[in-house]
Amino acid sequence: MKSHAPAPSASAAHPAPAHSPASAETPAAPDELVIVPHTHWDREWYLPFQQFRLQLIGLLDEVLERMENDPRQRFTLDGQAVAVDDYLEVRPEQRERLTSLVKSGRLAVGPWQILLDEFLCSGENIVRNLELGLRRSQEMGASLRVGYLPDMFGHCAQMPQILRGAGIEHACVWRGVPAEVDSHAFAWTAPDGTAVRTEYLAAGGYGSAAGLFDDPEQVAERATAIAAKLRPWRPDGSPILAMYGSDHTAPAADLADLLERHNATDSGVTLRLATMAEYFGAQPTTVEGLRAVRGELRSHARANILPGVFSVRAPLKQAMARAERAVERYAEPLAALWFDGAAQRFLDMAWHRLIEVSCHDSVTGCGCDETAQQVAARIAEAEQLGLAVRDMVGKQLAARTPHDAQVLLNPTPEERTDLVELDVAGDGPVHVTTAEGRAFPAQRISAAPTLLADDTFAAERLATVLARVHGIELYGQEITDWHADPQTRVLHFTVARKSELRFDIAEVKAALAGAEGEWRVVIEAEPRQRVAALVEAPALGHTAVRAAEGQAPAPAHAVHAADGTLGNGLLSVEIAEDGTFAARTPEGVELTGAGRVVDGGDLGDTYNYAPPDHDVLVDRPDEVTVRLVAEGPLVAAYEVARRYGWPSAGDFAADGRTARAEPTTVTTRLELRAGERFVRLAVSFENRSDDHRVRLHVPLPRRAEKSYGEGQFAVVERGLTSEGGFGEEPLPTFPASAFVAAGGAAVLLEHATEYELVSDGAEVALTLLRPTGRMSRNRHVWRDEPAGGEFATPQAQCRGLRTVSFALLPYAGQWHESGVHAAAESFRHPLAVLPGTAPSATPLPGSTEGLRVAGAGVVLSSVREREGRLEVRVVAQTPTDTTACLALPGLRAAFRADLLGNAGEAVAVDAGTVTVALRPWEIATFQLGR
């Protein structure tokens, strides 16, 4: 059994549910254990992937050989197709043998591509994981049609709807099941009301029958003990699921013989071999009469859920979110709408990497440093692939845009006004214009240097100097003009970002022929500046803008800064002496003391936080400096530098922290933009300390008993406490992806972030960093049992620069009525900017809309091309009924589809628009034909 949660005894794991024992007059029917031989295969964990793969090759070589020679054998390959892919990449000659066993029903693979962590990837990633796993396992012969989720560290709220949307009617889980569940089966219900019959792996999880055949002389005794601990969960006398396997293990070589020998005895317990598919094939699919459990499964009552994985190796989570956005919201939708070439192979490679790193021992960061390095590399590749596809789309559009203009791509499905940074020619006041003649204001941010070189060389060295010229390129720019003056002995080049000069280096060399003495070589760039421009872009479309001299009219809700304050008429921000700030809305919503940074000790590991008994909390800065860095009117910002002395490390011997402190400066950029109702925060510091936890605190406008965390197609309501009972501290820290809202304040997030309501609901605390030096610790104050081996993880101390961005939106009323979704969409998905490449005489292209999606609480998940149609997935992330409107130029036909892309009923199209009613929290997929 995986040591991140060893198999408990029956009494320790749960109280036995009430049931009626057999009467004394009627002999009890013999128990039947359905033995499911399997391996739980962590693709990478305390060893990196390739080392674990070597073990996988040996295990499957052995298992396949036995199965081919003994038709009685059964095996379930952990619910993930990736293990087969990893095996066949090394053993391609085994493909026919393996697929034959799958087709015969004796070897069960899928339905997942990989066993994911359900909270550290997007909902769309979960769907693509299931889609790929089902396809790959079907290609091998057949797929296990069970939502097998044996070792995830809790389960997301929408999983029942995801499974049913893919045609799967059973789930099978272990961790996170609440104490109220008193039977092996319950009705796990998604927020939208979709329920799936769910098998609880009671009394031992996926290793409930591990060790059954270790000693041939004790099979009967152990079978009786296993039946005794599992029978209370199924008092109806039905066959009992007994999971025979553990981490990276193969079943006993003579398993079938041992089982038959046991069944020949009169032990009162019979054993039957089966795959997981065979077991669930005999189970009902109805949920009628079962206890209903709604939403996410995050209880500590029956197993460790190891919540500290959400905050460890925080840069990994940050990179994962960036990569997912690059692929899901930029590359794939823009390619589907605007790209004429072939991008699908790039997108497939990106999705494969995103799915692989979503593994529950990968993106979680709870493995060895080598594993984390490999995961980070794959995440980086996925992001690079996504950005490459985005740029392929942009390149086609840029080729139709003059080089003194820039293309803007909008990844959001509604028209929006947003601030973009543009690199433009000139050094005076400018504004930007579109082909339609619209003018937008701009604000200067910085100017580029114009003198790039001014050096003196002997004439005989000029040939070497000219070697710096490559074609028309010099110092990363293009030559727009040059002259060589023999009288003054000056060689002068003028360069710019783009040139239309017909340049030949031979002409320069000819002009320098016979040069003598010393020459001055000057390289000057045309004046350029970076400006912030407030521009409008069409829904999932593109526009082009060009700078023009002079200023445009001031924007609505212009922002100003003075005396430590920021304001734009929609929000005011005031910086306090201690470096925190207050934020107020015109409606009177106010919060004060936001942005307090608290550093405390952590003697835990990559799985669980553990505060020292003698903790030292540092929350008061030794010095505060405030500097104005942008004055408006489009963007205004201050940098607040707070200097602290953070203890350098944990003192494990003293159960405290070291007396020696590391001087640490936390710099917070507070930025307010014209027209925005939220203030942006970018928090940066160099981490020089070990074994600690850094949190950002935001006092709420009103005390909250509930928080609302967005993630995986839902916004989940959570309280101030978490259910305990197993031996792990039920710390009420939770993950959120796009935002967390509570008590009149929403914190907009750039990546999956750990948060907690503290001070009895008066504040929300967000974890910025949780460095730790061990994968697991044998002795842990907040966890009874080790979660793995006690390996050193020095890289998990996350030394070096840490930068994370948030935004804070105060609101009145309920979160779902306050524009939180729209604010999070804008914060997380800025417009993409690419320079034009066409000649300057090329007409400026007009603005063009792609797909528009509207509806209260309706959030876009994906847009992609599928078999000639545009497939669009949206989610009603709202607790009330809503309506989704999808508008697409040239739309002729529309169909509902399931999560796997199978088209269903037609939907009416009216003037290029589809209007569909959605129930609360519904995941809806449409296919649109033009």
Side-chain angles (χ1 to χ4, degrees):
M1 193 66 185
K2 179 176 268 183
S3 54
H4 10 98
S9 66
S11 59
H14 56 79
H19 63 282
S20 301
S23 67
E25 291 77 20
T26 305
D31 283 318
E32 182 181 32
L33 295 182
V34 180
I35 305 299
V36 175
H38 75 100
T39 186
H40 177 56
W41 198 263
D42 298 292
R43 192 172 188 249
E44 51 199 355
W45 180 23
Y46 58 83
L47 293 176
F49 163 59
Q50 296 296 354
Q51 288 181 264
F52 268 145
R53 173 148 74 170
L54 287 177
Q55 297 181 26
L56 174 69
I57 302 306
L59 183 148
L60 285 183
D61 281 347
E62 183 180 336
V63 168
L64 296 180
E65 182 72 22
R66 291 181 201 160
M67 294 186 75
E68 190 172 60
N69 294 331
D70 186 349
R72 299 171 298 174
Q73 298 277 6
R74 299 288 189 273
F75 195 65
T76 296
L77 196 49
D78 205 29
Q80 51 183 337
V82 73
V84 178
D85 288 340
D86 292 342
Y87 176 74
L88 292 179
E89 187 175 17
V90 178
R91 294 276 196 268
E93 71 278 3
Q94 296 280 24
R95 182 178 301 275
E96 185 175 344
R97 169 187 274 183
L98 189 146
T99 56
S100 175
L101 291 168
V102 173
K103 290 175 182 178
S104 72
R106 295 168 53 213
L107 176 62
V109 297
W112 301 101
Q113 178 65 12
I114 204 163
L115 291 180
L116 68 159
D117 182 279
E118 297 174 35
F119 295 98
L120 288 175
C121 63
S122 68
E124 191 62 32
N125 198 334
I126 296 174
V127 172
R128 302 302 179 92
N129 186 346
L130 187 56
E131 177 186 297
L132 178 60
L134 287 169
R135 184 172 73 244
R136 289 292 299 121
S137 49
Q138 283 297 139
E139 290 170 356
M140 297 169 201
S143 176
L144 173 65
R145 304 293 295 187
V146 177
Y148 184 50
L149 302 161
D151 196 34
M152 289 67 175
F153 307 152
H155 304 280
C156 67
Q158 288 280 36
M159 186 58 76
Q161 189 180 174
I162 293 171
L163 294 175
R164 291 296 296 269
I168 294 176
E169 297 179 303
H170 289 280
C172 185
V173 302
W174 171 36
R175 301 183 193 272
V177 173
E180 65 182 296
V181 171
D182 58 3
S183 172
H184 74 100
F186 64 95
W188 185 13
T189 307
D192 76 315
T194 300
V196 61
R197 186 181 181 93
T198 303
E199 182 86 10
Y200 169 44
L201 294 173
Y206 58 80
S208 58
L212 173 57
F213 299 101
D214 287 358
D215 186 343
E217 303 304 319
Q218 295 188 30
V219 173
E221 179 182 345
R222 293 182 179 181
T224 300
I226 291 168
K229 73 176 182 178
L230 293 175
R231 172 53 63 202
W233 294 91
R234 6 186 13 130
D236 60 358
S238 60
I240 300 169
L241 174 63
M243 300 296 291
Y244 170 56
S246 188
D247 299 351
H248 310 107
T249 59
D254 53 350
L255 168 62
D257 292 335
L258 291 171
L259 185 142
E260 288 190 358
R261 186 190 310 164
H262 166 80
N263 285 341
T265 66
D266 186 17
S267 69
V269 177
T270 61
L271 308 178
R272 173 164 57 90
L273 283 182
T275 64
M276 184 159 282
E278 290 172 323
Y279 168 80
F280 278 98
Q283 301 301 306
T285 58
T286 179
V287 296
E288 186 177 350
L290 297 180
R291 182 183 295 276
V293 177
R294 194 178 189 90
E296 65 181 13
L297 304 181
R298 290 193 50 81
S299 171
H300 304 253
R302 304 195 184 282
N304 294 335
I305 65 169
L306 311 166
V309 298
F310 300 130
S311 53
V312 75
R313 301 190 198 265
L316 206 60
K317 281 69 172 177
Q318 198 170 16
M320 180 69 167
R322 282 198 314 269
E324 286 184 326
R325 287 197 298 272
V327 177
E328 293 177 18
R329 295 302 307 276
Y330 288 86
E332 195 169 57
L334 294 172
L337 288 162
W338 302 113
F339 191 53
D340 294 335
Q344 193 57 52
R345 184 61 189 133
F346 289 97
L347 293 169
D348 288 345
M349 289 190 293
W351 273 114
H352 272 81
R353 284 158 178 78
L354 286 175
I355 291 166
E356 285 180 357
V357 298
S358 72
C359 182
H360 68 289
D361 287 314
S362 297
V363 70
T364 48
C366 54
C368 63
D369 284 346
E370 293 84 355
T371 290
Q373 290 169 354
Q374 290 182 336
V375 171
R378 290 188 217 119
I379 291 175
E381 285 186 2
E383 181 182 16
Q384 291 157 14
L385 285 161
L387 294 178
V389 171
R390 182 204 67 180
D391 291 347
M392 286 164 60
V393 177
K395 184 177 181 180
Q396 286 191 346
L397 299 174
R400 303 194 291 269
T401 303
H403 65 72
D404 59 348
Q406 304 191 53
V407 179
L408 309 182
L409 300 172
N410 181 7
T412 55
E414 62 180 351
E415 184 179 71
R416 62 188 282 202
T417 300
D418 200 6
L419 199 72
V420 295
E421 283 196 18
L422 304 176
D423 177 30
V424 301
D427 54 6
V430 298
H431 62 280
V432 297
T433 61
T434 66
E436 294 80 13
R438 300 192 62 186
F440 298 103
Q443 172 187 332
R444 179 170 173 167
I445 297 174
S446 63
T450 55
L451 183 61
L452 305 184
D454 188 347
D455 303 300
T456 301
F457 300 92
E460 56 267 24
R461 288 195 60 201
L462 289 178
T464 303
V465 172
L466 293 182
R468 300 173 185 175
V469 179
H470 302 91
I472 197 171
E473 181 270 329
L474 176 60
Y475 282 8
Q477 300 190 54
E478 295 185 0
I479 298 169
T480 59
D481 192 17
W482 70 274
H483 67 268
D485 187 343
Q487 299 299 319
T488 60
R489 294 178 182 174
V490 173
L491 173 61
H492 188 281
F493 291 98
T494 304
V495 297
R497 186 182 64 81
K498 191 71 176 177
S499 174
E500 296 180 21
L501 178 70
R502 297 184 64 180
F503 176 78
D504 187 346
I505 191 66
E507 295 179 6
V508 181
K509 292 178 179 179
L512 295 174
E516 297 179 345
E518 292 190 335
W519 279 67
R520 183 179 166 205
V521 179
V522 180
I523 304 172
E524 287 189 288
E526 70 172 13
R528 298 197 71 81
Q529 58 182 320
R530 289 199 68 79
V531 300
L534 193 63
V535 298
E536 191 173 276
L540 270 169
H542 56 86
T543 189
V545 295
R546 171 187 273 146
E549 292 184 357
Q551 295 180 338
H557 301 294
V559 62
H560 59 84
D563 301 323
T565 66
L566 301 166
N568 64 2
L570 301 173
L571 187 69
S572 63
V573 177
E574 183 177 354
I575 301 171
E577 290 184 358
D578 64 356
T580 63
F581 65 94
R584 301 177 182 87
T585 72
E587 297 80 18
V589 180
E590 179 177 351
L591 55 86
T592 59
R596 182 167 60 98
V597 173
V598 180
D599 174 69
D602 182 5
L603 303 185
D605 51 33
T606 65
Y607 292 98
N608 295 80
Y609 163 72
D613 189 43
H614 306 292
D615 203 355
V616 176
L617 295 178
V618 181
D619 65 349
R620 295 179 182 273
D622 299 324
E623 184 182 355
V624 179
T625 59
V626 179
R627 183 171 69 95
L628 179 64
V629 292
E631 299 184 40
L634 301 184
V635 57
Y638 287 94
E639 279 188 356
V640 181
R642 287 173 283 181
R643 295 171 180 82
Y644 303 87
W646 289 350
S648 62
D651 187 337
F652 289 84
D655 199 5
R657 305 182 74 185
T658 60
R660 185 168 64 87
E662 294 287 346
T664 305
T665 298
V666 178
T667 301
T668 303
R669 178 185 169 98
L670 288 171
E671 179 181 303
L672 190 61
R673 298 180 177 183
E676 287 189 345
R677 297 188 302 118
F678 52 86
V679 58
R680 297 168 181 258
L681 296 81
V683 183
S684 300
F685 57 90
E686 182 183 355
N687 179 47
R688 302 161 130 192
S689 301
D690 293 341
D691 311 309
H692 64 128
R693 182 179 68 173
V694 186
R695 299 213 283 187
L696 183 79
H697 286 243
V698 177
L700 302 175
R702 56 183 183 269
R703 192 176 297 275
E705 294 184 354
K706 302 288 185 182
S707 66
Y708 300 87
E710 192 280 343
Q712 296 77 43
F713 298 144
V715 180
V716 181
E717 179 183 298
R718 290 136 173 175
L720 297 174
T721 61
S722 187
E723 184 180 52
F726 183 74
E728 178 182 56
E729 180 70 19
L731 189 66
T733 56
F734 302 101
S737 294
F739 64 81
V740 54
V747 183
L748 314 181
L749 307 171
E750 66 170 9
H751 65 280
T753 300
E754 176 188 271
Y755 77 90
E756 180 181 3
L757 286 183
V758 297
S759 303
D760 196 27
E763 292 186 318
V764 61
L766 302 110
T767 304
L768 301 180
L769 196 67
R770 194 176 70 82
T772 185
R774 289 288 185 273
M775 190 184 87
S776 174
R777 294 191 184 275
N778 295 333
R779 298 177 62 81
H780 194 294
V781 66
W782 274 3
R783 190 186 62 237
D784 285 348
E785 297 165 325
E790 198 170 53
F791 293 93
T793 54
Q795 292 180 20
Q797 296 287 11
C798 294
R799 291 297 192 100
L801 182 65
R802 168 71 171 144
T803 301
V804 60
S805 298
F806 303 98
L808 180 58
L809 171 69
Y811 62 85
Q814 301 298 312
W815 71 267
H816 60 278
E817 300 169 336
S818 304
V820 177
H821 277 306
E825 181 79 2
S826 175
F827 175 68
R828 290 164 62 86
H829 303 110
L831 302 182
V833 181
L834 297 110
T837 58
S840 58
T842 305
L844 196 65
S847 300
T848 308
E849 182 173 273
L851 171 72
R852 183 162 26 94
V853 178
V858 177
V859 177
L860 181 69
S861 177
S862 74
V863 180
R864 60 171 162 170
E865 185 177 3
R866 187 195 283 268
E867 297 178 356
R869 292 176 179 168
L870 197 69
E871 183 177 276
V872 182
R873 186 157 24 253
V874 298
V875 186
Q877 288 200 19
T878 172
T880 59
D881 290 334
T882 190
T883 300
C885 296
L886 284 67
L888 181 69
L891 179 63
R892 295 171 179 259
F895 304 87
R896 280 273 201 164
D898 65 14
L899 284 184
L900 302 181
N902 300 306
E905 63 182 12
V907 181
V909 177
D910 182 12
T913 301
V914 170
T915 303
V916 181
L918 299 180
R919 63 184 182 272
W921 312 113
E922 180 179 359
I923 305 167
T925 306
F926 302 92
Q927 291 185 353
L928 310 179
R930 292 187 282 189

